Amino acid sequence: MRRVLCVGRNYAAHRREMGGDDRDPPFFFAKPADAVVPPGGQVAFPPKTQNLHYEVELVVALGAGGADVSVGRALDLVLGYAVGVDLTRRDLQSAAKDKGQPWEAAKGFDASAPISAIRRWAGAPPQGRIRLSVNDEIRQDAALGEMIWNVAEIIAEASRLWRLEPGDLIFTGTPEGVGPVVRGDRVGGEIDGVGRLVFQLI
């Protein structure tokens, strides 16, 4: 694993939920590679927050790289897909937004990117349901086809900003229904055909 890129507000309903309603070009933020938590592990509740949020996402794992890749070639870079959860210290993010400051402390903290095993995949990206539950109660449930920017478009746009390489991961955005979790909560993310991720906050 080399780089973790994340796309913000890539589902229309979530964009409205977070206060926007336009098809702006996708915007990216990053998490450090050591924020990724492999499947099967517990996740420590992070310090300095009173409002930790879940965001379930389709994660693209790249097996090839390139710069300035066309949309038509973008899927050639894909090794496979995983289920990921972008954990966010929402209170820190809101404070940073109010001050025009960067989001690193809100998004790039330790263990902020749990993911499932990567499922190798060729051809068209997954198009099934994406869901998240907290203590077996469904909190997010949408179709991957509701993404504003599709996987190929996201990869192509990212390749105009960075030279992509094998091992890069791209979190593609979350649907509506984000919300808080606390210590002891059991979080489950699932994407049809891709896999399932379960972890407990300790």
Side-chain angles (χ1 to χ4, degrees):
M1 186 181 319
R2 177 177 169 272
R3 172 186 283 139
V4 181
L5 299 174
C6 306
V7 178
R9 299 188 184 182
N10 195 32
Y11 288 76
H14 177 59
R15 183 182 287 269
R16 290 191 296 270
E17 178 180 57
M18 299 301 289
D21 198 21
D22 298 316
R23 193 180 192 262
D24 297 326
F27 75 90
F28 295 87
F29 57 92
K31 291 176 181 272
D34 61 6
V36 173
V37 181
Q42 293 179 318
V43 174
F45 193 93
K48 300 287 287 183
T49 183
Q50 302 299 318
N51 193 18
L52 181 70
H53 278 208
Y54 55 78
E55 300 184 13
V56 68
E57 310 200 11
L58 175 70
V59 180
V60 183
L62 300 186
D68 201 19
V69 177
S70 69
V71 172
R73 284 194 52 246
L75 296 180
D76 295 341
L77 276 58
V78 175
L79 172 69
Y81 298 94
V83 184
V85 175
D86 168 16
L87 292 172
T88 302
R89 292 192 274 209
R90 192 72 74 201
D91 43 1
L92 272 62
Q93 184 188 38
S94 296
K97 285 180 178 179
D98 289 345
K99 297 176 182 178
Q101 295 176 344
W103 295 2
E104 275 84 354
K107 289 285 193 178
F109 54 90
D110 297 341
S112 61
I115 67 168
S116 71
I118 295 167
R119 178 169 181 182
R120 288 181 176 267
W121 195 286
Q127 289 294 313
R129 305 297 296 181
I130 178 171
R131 306 177 189 84
L132 181 136
S133 64
V134 178
N135 302 323
D136 297 321
E137 178 185 343
I138 297 293
R139 301 287 182 84
Q140 293 181 277
D141 186 358
L144 292 172
E146 295 172 23
M147 286 196 292
I148 298 170
W149 296 93
N150 65 36
V151 170
E153 291 170 328
I154 290 167
I155 294 170
E157 184 66 19
S159 77
R160 297 184 185 106
L161 296 168
W162 299 272
R163 180 174 180 82
L164 302 177
E165 297 290 352
D168 287 347
L169 300 178
I170 304 176
F171 281 61
T172 58
T174 195
E176 67 177 325
V178 301
V181 281
V182 297
R183 284 183 180 85
D185 280 345
R186 182 173 178 270
V187 179
E190 184 174 11
I191 297 174
D192 291 346
V194 174
R196 180 166 170 76
L197 166 68
V198 179
F199 62 90
Q200 185 171 28
L201 287 162
I202 60 172

